[in-house]
């Protein structure tokens, strides 16, 4: 069984707005490494649609991009992508699959079928999967910014506190810190 790892950019005040993080070669290399180590991606519909609107054009060369972004886009194009949605059924982007039905059963089945693990990249979906006790690890890129607005990490709350064990903390040149935590069981 593979692990479900939640990974996202977050500011010091918990903002997960993708426009608030520092986007440079080093941060893209960080996320490319995480993706390389995972067997599949898991997103909610909103994140999928945001990714689908940009990355396929970068991967195909239809949009100019620096080498680190192009590398990410090409690898993302090839990666299996699973999408949780109750409002959309058709996901035409290459290697995209709809994860329908019971959320707990579907995600557990995906974990069981993906020995290299699943990389989760949606904030709202992460809160729901944490409520279901399905997230095993957290790889957060904490940016040295205070956004002062939302959306924020776990803004809908959790039924109880999650105890985590620090696996590693690594500062990046831009001032962000890559934090790797594991669920304390």
């Amino acid at each position: 069984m593979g692990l479900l790892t939640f990974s996202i950019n977050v500011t010091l005040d918990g903002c997960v707005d993708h426009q608030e993080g520092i986007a440079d070669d080093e941060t893209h290399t960080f996320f490319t490494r995480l993706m390389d180590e995972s067997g599949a991606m898991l997103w909610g519909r909103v994140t999928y649609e945001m990714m689908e609107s940009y990355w396929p054009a970068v991967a195909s060369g239809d949009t100019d991009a620096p080498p680190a972004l192009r590398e990410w886009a090409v690898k993302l194009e090839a990666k299996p992508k699973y999408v949780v949605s109750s409002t959309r059924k058709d996901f035409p982007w290459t290697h995209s699959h709809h994860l329908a039905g019971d959320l707990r059963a579907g995600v557990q089945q995906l974990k069981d079928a993906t020995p290299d693990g699943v990389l989760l990249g949606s904030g709202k979906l992460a809160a729901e999967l944490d409520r279901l006790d399905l997230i095993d690890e957290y790889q957060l890129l904490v940016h040295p910014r205070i956004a002062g607005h939302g959306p924020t990490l776990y803004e809908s709350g959790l039924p109880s506190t999650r105890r985590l064990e620090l696996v590693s903390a690594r500062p990046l040149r831009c001032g962000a810190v890559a934090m790797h935590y594991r669920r304390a069981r």
Side-chain angles (χ1 to χ4, degrees):
M1 174 180 83
L3 298 177
L4 179 60
T5 301
F6 174 40
S7 183
I8 200 160
N9 289 297
V10 61
T11 63
L12 289 175
D13 58 343
C15 179
V16 293
D17 181 331
H18 73 279
Q19 296 176 328
E20 291 299 335
I22 298 165
D24 63 10
D25 284 352
E26 192 175 24
T27 60
H28 282 286
T29 298
F30 168 79
F31 284 109
T32 300
R33 181 188 55 78
L34 286 178
M35 183 173 53
D36 285 346
E37 293 172 355
S38 298
M41 308 295 287
L42 176 61
W43 298 319
R45 179 192 52 81
V46 172
T47 301
Y48 173 86
E49 289 175 349
M50 178 184 64
M51 303 295 268
E52 176 189 43
S53 72
Y54 180 69
W55 293 110
V58 174
S60 68
D62 293 340
T63 298
D64 289 333
L69 278 108
R70 181 137 359 264
E71 177 187 10
W72 159 265
V74 168
K75 289 181 177 188
L76 182 59
E77 188 76 15
K79 190 65 69 171
K81 296 167 278 293
Y82 292 85
V83 187
V84 173
S85 177
S86 61
T87 60
R88 182 175 171 181
K89 307 284 187 253
D90 181 39
F91 299 93
W93 186 10
T94 307
H95 305 295
S96 295
H97 312 277
H98 185 212
L99 196 63
D102 180 74
L103 184 60
R104 180 189 304 273
V107 171
Q108 187 61 57
Q109 183 178 25
L110 179 60
K111 286 172 64 172
D112 292 345
T114 313
D116 290 337
V118 178
L119 188 61
L120 166 64
S122 295
K124 287 182 182 177
L125 181 57
E128 187 58 33
L129 295 178
D130 229 334
R131 282 186 204 95
L132 296 173
D133 238 6
L134 290 169
I135 298 178
D136 303 296
E137 293 191 342
Y138 304 78
Q139 294 238 16
L140 306 177
L141 194 54
V142 182
H143 293 264
R145 296 187 172 172
I146 297 173
H149 65 86
T152 58
L153 199 57
Y154 294 100
E155 64 188 22
S156 61
L158 290 174
S160 62
T161 300
R162 297 288 184 250
R163 288 187 335 100
L164 307 176
E165 297 171 350
L166 179 65
V167 175
S168 66
R170 182 175 58 88
L172 278 61
R173 287 185 305 275
C174 67
V177 179
M179 306 293 294
H180 182 181
Y181 290 97
R182 181 175 297 127
R183 282 288 300 270
R185 304 256 181 202

